[in-house]
Amino acid sequence: MKQGNMQPSSEERQRWRDEYVNRFLNEVGLARSRLAASTQKCLNDWARQVRLVQDQPSSNFGNAVIQVCRSVESELAAGLGSIHALSFLRGGTLGQKAKGLEAMKLDDSTKQQLTSRGTKPGFVVSDLPKLLSSLAGLRSRTDAAHGNAEIQSANERDAAEARRLAGRVLQGIAAHPKGPNERLSRVHR
């Protein structure tokens, strides 16, 4: 805390955000180093929004939902979107990405590229579209979409569901190395 002030210092706030993100990543079994820098920034922004709601209970969780969705979009773009056949993941909405994956039949080359980065091809065409559709639905029925045109305020339950869905997506799409110490063991479930 700053002297004479009850507000935490910027270093304390950053330390809290880092701990919050690291706890989340540990829960889903990912090391921060496995994520793109842009994804890490989105997760930091997400933690900032979560803390803001904790500190100001009159706020709603809409921005936290947006930021965790952006972390998913960022990792899709930087990771799977770098594979030619999946380059459509670099743009569009979560719903559009889900529809594109649902319609996709992976060729052998794409399957091989996914496997070499530690991503299961079956996850990409089966679970991933469902998870993205769920995130898109959550985002669209709350004020976490459409330029905050209020449909329904995002609440703590919505934020927890967005966190759960994003964790499953990131766990499935983040590059997983073959080395023994690169992937954290899954402690919480």
Side-chain angles (χ1 to χ4, degrees):
M1 298 273 173
K2 295 178 183 174
Q3 279 189 329
N5 188 349
M6 295 306 292
Q7 295 293 333
S9 69
S10 62
E11 294 85 17
E12 290 168 323
R13 288 189 305 270
Q14 184 60 52
R15 186 172 34 257
W16 184 91
R17 289 190 301 266
D18 287 343
E19 289 170 3
Y20 189 82
V21 170
N22 287 337
R23 216 172 23 253
F24 167 69
L25 293 175
N26 188 46
E27 287 171 11
V28 298
L30 288 176
R32 191 182 282 255
S33 62
R34 295 291 106 209
L35 301 173
S38 58
T39 305
Q40 293 180 45
K41 181 189 180 314
C42 290
L43 288 171
N44 185 64
D45 292 343
W46 165 63
R48 177 183 286 115
Q49 293 302 319
V50 168
R51 183 63 186 252
L52 177 68
V53 175
Q54 287 178 353
D55 291 346
Q56 298 176 6
S58 63
S59 301
N60 79 49
F61 285 88
N63 284 333
V65 171
I66 288 172
Q67 290 303 330
V68 79
C69 288
R70 285 183 179 158
S71 70
V72 166
E73 291 169 330
S74 173
E75 195 62 29
L76 284 168
L80 299 186
S82 66
I83 297 172
H84 179 71
L86 300 173
S87 62
F88 66 92
L89 295 173
R90 288 186 259 176
T93 66
L94 289 171
Q96 290 167 335
K97 292 171 186 179
K99 284 184 184 3
L101 289 169
E102 286 171 351
M104 178 160 235
K105 177 142 176 59
L106 299 177
D107 61 27
D108 289 340
S109 173
T110 304
K111 287 178 184 176
Q112 210 277 307
Q113 289 175 68
L114 286 167
T115 302
S116 71
R117 61 183 320 280
T119 302
K120 294 178 181 173
F123 174 83
V124 172
V125 294
S126 178
D127 295 344
L128 185 56
K130 293 173 191 165
L131 292 167
L132 294 178
S133 289
S134 294
L135 267 176
L138 175 64
R139 190 170 171 174
S140 70
R141 76 174 173 269
T142 66
D143 64 349
H146 314 296
N148 285 338
E150 189 143 339
I151 297 167
Q152 157 189 333
S153 291
N155 57 37
E156 190 171 3
R157 188 174 52 248
D158 296 325
E161 179 66 0
R163 174 189 170 117
R164 184 187 72 77
L165 292 167
R168 289 192 54 208
V169 170
L170 293 174
Q171 182 182 52
I173 66 171
H176 298 293
K178 306 293 185 220
N181 295 325
E182 293 289 337
R183 183 157 184 201
L184 297 175
S185 65
R186 292 180 53 197
V187 178
H188 300 87
R189 198 78 222 265

